[in-house]
Amino acid sequence: MAPERERINGVIKEDLKEILFSEELIKHRVAELGAQISGDYAGKIPLLIGVLSGSFIFFADILRFIDLKCEVRFLMVSSYGLSSSTKGSVNIAAEIDFEIAGRDVIIVEDILDSGVTISALRDVITKYVPSSLRICVLLDKPARRQIPVEVDYVGFQCPDEFLVGYGLDYAERYRNLPYIASLKPEVYS
Ligand code: IMP
Ligand code: MG
């Protein structure tokens, strides 16, 4: 990937191994995904559900490339605590207090890793009988899949490394990086 001048070159960068997806590249791909969703849902009013916290920047960006009437909700979901791999159980922080029945739902998530989070969320949402359900993830890390999950919109395939930035965190840090980078293993092990 062409090295380009990045906005964040300060103290955080010491913890990073490599920038994998630059700000420009992400912007370009997010615009493409937004256009694709706009075409696929033409004439509909989809309900976009952002999975917090990791998707907050991706969600905010893709939303502005969706040229449709759409509704926006968030679910706070966690499985990690302060560790760097899934604990295998998924916690949805609050009751779903909005109407899903009969809606065209799109779940927007930062990264598909083991598949535990997305498959649990899919099961929960399905119980509320949406008229359709699709999943949009910015990153897909297939190497670590434990549960097979089909997703409909994928930004990038990524290698089996711990990634941070553009909303993704390690222990709640690094979310503010405008690009996506791998973290030096010594930082999280
Ligand atoms: P899964 O349940 O293992 O598929 O993991 C999905 C969740 O784990 C995502 O919502 C992310 O919040 C988090 N996650 C997985 N891989 C990474 C990573 O490389 N960096 C930061 N968060 C990650
Ligand atoms: Mg997440």
Side-chain angles (χ1 to χ4, degrees), residues 9-171:
N9 265 304
V11 66
I12 319 179
K13 220 180 165 184
E14 295 168 5
D15 292 350
L16 307 179
K17 190 173 146 202
E18 189 189 351
I19 295 174
L20 296 179
F21 305 104
S22 71
E23 225 179 320
E24 274 307 302
L25 186 65
I26 295 170
K27 187 171 182 196
H28 182 84
R29 185 68 188 122
V30 170
E32 284 180 348
L33 287 176
Q36 201 184 336
I37 289 173
S38 307
D40 291 351
Y41 287 83
K44 297 183 173 163
I45 304 178
L47 169 62
L48 280 85
I49 303 180
V51 183
L52 295 175
S53 304
S55 78
F56 77 111
I57 293 179
F58 173 45
F59 192 93
D61 282 350
I62 196 167
L63 193 61
R64 284 172 290 171
F65 286 106
I66 294 179
D67 186 11
L68 293 171
K69 287 185 187 172
C70 60
E71 293 173 17
V72 167
R73 296 284 184 165
F74 294 96
L75 288 176
M76 184 93 196
V77 173
S78 60
S79 67
Y80 270 28
L82 293 179
S83 80
S84 70
S85 66
T86 182
K87 295 199 289 294
S89 66
V90 174
N91 174 47
I92 299 179
E95 289 297 304
I96 297 176
D97 61 354
F98 48 90
E99 198 68 48
I100 288 176
R103 301 303 310 273
D104 293 302
V105 173
I106 308 173
I107 297 175
V108 179
E109 170 66 311
D110 53 357
I111 181 166
L112 172 60
D113 186 18
S114 71
V116 170
T117 306
I118 285 289
S119 68
L121 254 179
R122 188 199 282 279
D123 291 350
V124 170
I125 304 269
T126 300
K127 289 197 184 112
Y128 290 83
V129 214
S131 90
S132 68
L133 176 57
R134 285 189 178 177
I135 294 170
C136 172
V137 295
L138 178 63
L139 298 164
D140 176 14
K141 203 195 280 180
R144 305 218 314 166
R145 198 80 84 249
Q146 291 166 24
I147 301 179
V149 190
E150 294 224 350
V151 290
D152 305 278
Y153 304 99
V154 179
F156 306 102
Q157 301 280 331
C158 64
D160 185 11
E161 293 192 88
F162 200 80
L163 306 182
V164 293
Y166 195 69
L168 286 99
D169 73 309
Y170 170 62

Side-chain angles (χ1 to χ4, degrees), residues 173-189:
R173 296 185 185 173
Y174 310 101
R175 294 195 197 273
N176 53 319
L177 292 169
Y179 45 74
I180 295 170
S182 51
L183 202 55
K184 285 182 182 159
E186 59 265 34
V187 176
Y188 63 90
S189 53

